[in-house]
Amino acid sequence: MEKGMLNSYLKPISIETTIGTKGLRKKIIQKGVSWQTPIPGDEIEVHYSVSLQEGGYFDSSRERGATFRFKLGQCEVIKGWDEGISTMRKGERAIFTIPPELGYGETGCPPMIPPNSTLIFDVELVSWCPIRDISGDGGIVKKITREGEGWPTPNEEDEVLVKYVAKDDNGFVVSESSDEGLEFSLASGHLCPAMSKAVKTMRKGEKAEVSVKLSYGLKKCGESDGTNHHHQSLIINLELVSWKTVVDVKGDKKILKKITKKGEAFDRPNQGSLAKVIFIGKLEDGTIVERRGSEEAPFEYVCGEEQVHEGLDKAVATMKKGEEAIVKISSDVLNSASSVLYEVKLIDFIKDKPFWEMDAKERISSSESKKRDGNVLFKAGKFHLASNKYEKECDQ
């Protein structure tokens, strides 16, 4: 390749811009394919060619037939690369003019690079693997090997389905999931504390390599096969297949709703709504203690009027039409020896028409209805519920 070829054979598609305050310049010659750019710690893969500003080309990864890899912002390359490549998008190609201060400085890199040399780099950002220090102290480091879908990530109470292989320092497999994957609660955890911490940062379908040091890998591995070893560090190849959202209904972890099928739209029942449901209540040993409704004849009740257990009522109030869920009500709430699991489906619900949308005749009719309902509740000794009815009557 002739001298100065890097300056002549590639035509810029943008004007030259300056990066920072130390003279680093950039011309884009091929646009990237996304809006994301790498950040310090990410594992970068590039092709490059380089020449002296006043001399000839002397090195090229393309001619060697192999990309160059390094970690951004970790002092593995010259400062001009760290600063310049952090502005690039995947697939982007650019010409960087790197001054001596951001290159090899006053000493150069003999014999190829003289002292105080300005360098011209043609760099293509082939790809990068995002690397995240999850724990903030290097104890749990996640390298994303396949990006996930969308933006949501699991929450603390959610139940996740993962596939994984965990190996120790010597490459020995200490634990792995089946081909179908493993389901567990993030709150309870699995294998070691780092597993839950890593999964909570992942998106559906994401794959990652998670490096775990001693302080986050103390939970014993291999208990199931009798080996019962402690491992000072682990490498976990992890895939988040999916998860089921778990809602802490009251915020005290005593009523938990696990969504097994998402509902429609955004609206939910409120106090006074007529809910149409199907549910089965079971003890922890599987004994059925209550069964109401069917697809052909759903069970109908008015929300907030103690027609079903209060815990179940509060859970249904968080559901959308068509939603299916498993609601766990703790023994503390039930004042019993066992928790109860309700398998619930909200078929439909009807809300009261807002009073501001009613005409005069409808308001009178609604007030009379609430008064009658209040009287019934009062006679039944449900004074608080009766008071609510009377207050709604007065509001109208």
Side-chain angles (χ1 to χ4, degrees):
M1 186 179 288
E2 297 180 0
K3 291 183 179 182
M5 190 169 185
L6 289 175
N7 290 325
S8 59
Y9 86 108
L10 293 168
K11 184 178 179 180
I13 62 172
S14 70
I15 61 173
E16 188 172 60
T17 58
T18 300
I19 299 171
T21 60
K22 296 182 179 179
L24 176 63
R25 303 196 302 276
K26 173 185 176 183
K27 289 181 182 178
I28 298 175
I29 57 177
Q30 176 179 294
K31 290 184 177 180
V33 295
S34 74
W35 57 269
Q36 293 175 304
T37 56
I39 65 174
D42 289 351
E43 189 173 88
I44 307 296
E45 181 182 11
V46 298
H47 264 308
Y48 74 91
S49 299
V50 58
S51 71
L52 301 175
Q53 188 176 40
E54 303 300 331
Y57 142 94
F58 60 86
D59 187 24
S60 171
S61 65
R62 296 181 181 89
E63 286 196 356
R64 291 196 299 273
T67 55
F68 177 71
R69 295 173 182 266
F70 68 99
K71 288 183 179 178
L72 189 67
Q74 307 298 307
C75 299
E76 294 183 3
V77 293
I78 58 176
K79 291 181 180 179
W81 266 42
D82 275 339
E83 293 184 15
I85 290 174
S86 67
T87 70
M88 300 182 74
R89 297 172 170 83
K90 183 178 179 180
E92 182 180 315
R93 189 170 178 179
I95 301 295
F96 290 98
T97 302
I98 300 179
E101 186 178 356
L102 299 178
Y104 292 93
E106 296 179 354
T107 59
C109 188
M112 303 301 296
I113 303 175
N116 296 310
S117 293
T118 295
L119 302 174
I120 309 297
F121 277 94
D122 162 19
V123 181
E124 178 185 359
L125 180 54
V126 178
S127 66
W128 78 86
C129 291
I131 295 180
R132 303 291 179 262
D133 185 351
I134 294 172
S135 59
D137 59 5
I140 308 173
V141 177
K142 181 185 77 167
K143 179 171 77 174
I144 300 174
T145 56
R146 186 180 76 185
E147 293 284 355
E149 306 169 9
W151 294 109
T153 55
N155 294 315
E156 178 70 28
E157 301 295 336
D158 292 350
E159 290 192 4
V160 297
L161 177 64
V162 302
K163 295 180 180 179
Y164 76 93
V165 177
K167 298 181 180 180
D168 66 10
D169 319 62
N170 301 314
F172 176 75
V173 176
V174 297
S175 182
E176 62 182 328
S177 65
S178 66
D179 292 340
E180 292 74 29
L182 173 81
E183 191 171 50
F184 70 94
S185 166
L186 288 177
S188 301
H190 176 72
L191 185 65
C192 62
M195 180 81 90
S196 290
K197 290 180 180 291
V199 172
K200 284 190 287 186
T201 71
M202 299 177 72
R203 295 178 287 162
K204 183 179 178 181
E206 182 179 319
K207 290 184 177 181
E209 180 182 280
V210 182
S211 301
V212 185
K213 290 186 178 179
L214 173 66
S215 55
Y216 292 94
L218 286 176
K219 187 174 181 179
K220 293 179 180 179
C221 302
E223 292 180 347
S224 61
D225 61 12
T227 55
N228 204 26
H229 295 308
H230 283 292
H231 300 279
Q232 292 197 354
S233 62
L234 295 171
I235 299 294
I236 307 173
N237 288 298
L238 184 61
E239 176 185 357
L240 176 56
V241 179
S242 63
W243 73 87
K244 294 173 182 174
T245 301
V246 177
V247 178
D248 186 351
V249 174
K250 294 180 64 179
D252 58 6
K253 299 186 179 181
K254 293 183 178 180
I255 305 174
L256 299 175
K257 182 191 73 168
K258 179 171 69 176
I259 299 172
T260 55
K261 180 181 178 182
K262 292 183 178 181
E264 307 168 11
F266 299 96
D267 204 11
R268 295 175 172 87
N270 57 11
Q271 187 171 1
S273 295
L274 179 67
K276 301 179 181 181
V277 299
I278 305 169
F279 66 82
I280 301 173
K282 299 178 181 179
L283 299 179
E284 292 178 288
D285 63 6
T287 303
I288 296 175
V289 294
E290 190 175 12
R291 186 195 298 267
R292 297 286 183 92
S294 65
E295 291 286 350
E296 297 75 22
F299 173 67
E300 298 184 6
Y301 76 97
V302 179
C303 296
E305 294 195 359
E306 299 181 359
Q307 296 176 12
V308 296
H309 188 277
E310 181 185 8
L312 178 59
D313 195 16
K314 288 183 179 296
V316 170
T318 70
M319 298 177 71
K320 301 173 185 176
K321 179 181 176 180
E323 183 178 318
E324 297 180 22
I326 297 175
V327 178
K328 182 178 181 180
I329 303 177
S330 74
S331 56
D332 293 343
V333 175
L334 297 167
N335 293 317
S336 66
S338 173
S339 299
V340 174
L341 299 175
Y342 284 96
E343 298 172 8
V344 188
K345 180 177 181 180
L346 178 58
I347 302 294
D348 200 357
F349 62 91
I350 301 171
K351 282 186 169 182
D352 283 343
K353 188 176 183 179
F355 76 92
W356 58 84
E357 293 182 5
M358 299 179 184
D359 58 28
K361 186 176 180 180
E362 288 174 325
R363 289 189 182 187
I364 292 171
S365 176
S366 178
S367 294
E368 290 176 347
S369 174
K370 285 181 171 51
K371 182 179 179 180
R372 287 194 301 270
D373 292 343
N375 291 340
V376 171
L377 292 167
F378 186 86
K379 290 177 181 179
K382 298 179 179 180
F383 304 121
H384 176 68
L385 296 176
S387 176
N388 289 338
K389 289 290 184 179
Y390 296 145
E391 286 178 5
K392 287 188 175 181
E393 177 195 3
C394 293
D395 290 340
Q396 294 180 352

